[in-house]
């Protein structure tokens, strides 16, 4: 565990506080109390940090979602060499679907972990859904009207 130093010493002779500790996003209550030389009630020195909301805790839906994320990741690992060895339109559309789904779930976790506030999180998730739909539509358009994902990657490798 990192050792916390009193940052007031580092902020100058006036005893001013560091600028980044004034923002509410970077200023947890325990660090704030530490810098002001007062104890936080009920704090024992250890704390469990949960970055994701706990709304699916213990539910079967969360377990199925976790399993499906792993299945898609393993499917993607197998699909890439098969697509290289057998480039066809079925592989192109499969890659479009699996890559988009894998990216959507991964960026969804980034939104869940780093966007705070209900309104902001809803807006970010709506933007992510729009981005994922646009990505899938763009990949399908590229597969239908151009050479497809497999042949495009092969063409890039030939450069």
């Amino acid at each position: 565990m990192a050792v916390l130093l009193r940052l007031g010493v580092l902020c100058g002779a006036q005893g001013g506080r560091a600028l980044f500790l004034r923002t509410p996003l970077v200023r947890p209550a325990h660090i704030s109390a530490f810098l002001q030389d007062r104890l936080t009630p009920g704090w024992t020195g250890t704390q469990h940090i949960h970055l994701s909301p706990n709304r699916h805790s213990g539910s079967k839906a969360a377990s199925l979602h976790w399993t499906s994320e792993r299945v898609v990741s393993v499917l993607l690992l197998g699909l890439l060499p098969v697509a290289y060895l057998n480039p066809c339109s079925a592989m192109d559309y499969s890659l479009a679907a699996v890559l988009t789904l894998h990216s959507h779930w991964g960026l969804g976790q980034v939104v869940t972990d780093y966007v705070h506030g209900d309104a902001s999180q809803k807006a970010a998730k709506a933007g992510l859904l729009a981005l994922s739909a646009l990505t899938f539509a763009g990949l399908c358009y590229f597969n239908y009207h151009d050479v497809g994902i497999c042949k495009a990657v092969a063409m890039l490798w030939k450069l």
Side-chain angles (χ1 to χ4, degrees):
M1 178 146 214
V3 176
L4 291 176
L5 298 175
R6 184 168 174 97
L7 294 176
V9 176
L10 301 175
C11 293
Q14 304 292 332
R17 299 286 184 223
L19 178 62
F20 67 89
L21 289 172
R22 291 182 185 161
T23 61
L25 293 177
V26 187
R27 186 177 167 189
H30 303 304
I31 293 175
S32 175
F34 175 77
L35 292 174
Q36 295 172 3
D37 291 329
R38 60 185 169 90
L39 296 175
T40 303
W43 187 53
T44 61
T46 61
Q47 174 136 358
H48 297 286
I49 298 174
H50 300 284
L51 297 177
S52 299
N54 204 9
R55 64 186 107 128
H56 297 300
S57 177
S59 72
K60 183 130 176 113
S63 176
L64 288 174
H65 181 74
W66 185 87
T67 303
S68 60
E69 283 179 342
R70 297 324 175 258
V71 167
V72 166
S73 296
V74 170
L75 181 67
L76 189 58
L77 283 174
L79 196 59
L80 291 174
V82 171
Y84 175 72
L85 295 174
N86 184 23
C88 62
S89 64
M91 284 296 136
D92 288 335
Y93 287 104
S94 297
L95 277 174
V98 172
L99 286 172
T100 304
L101 187 60
H102 183 74
S103 300
H104 178 77
W105 281 341
L107 290 174
Q109 284 303 311
V110 171
V111 167
T112 300
D113 289 344
Y114 294 109
V115 177
H116 304 290
D118 288 336
S120 299
Q121 198 169 47
K122 284 181 182 180
K125 286 192 176 190
L128 175 62
L129 185 61
L131 178 68
S132 296
L134 187 65
T135 300
F136 182 68
L139 288 173
C140 288
Y141 181 85
F142 181 74
N143 287 337
Y144 187 75
H145 292 287
D146 210 338
V147 294
I149 297 172
C150 297
K151 289 182 183 173
V153 171
M155 290 168 62
L156 282 173
W157 283 351
K158 284 183 182 178
L159 290 178

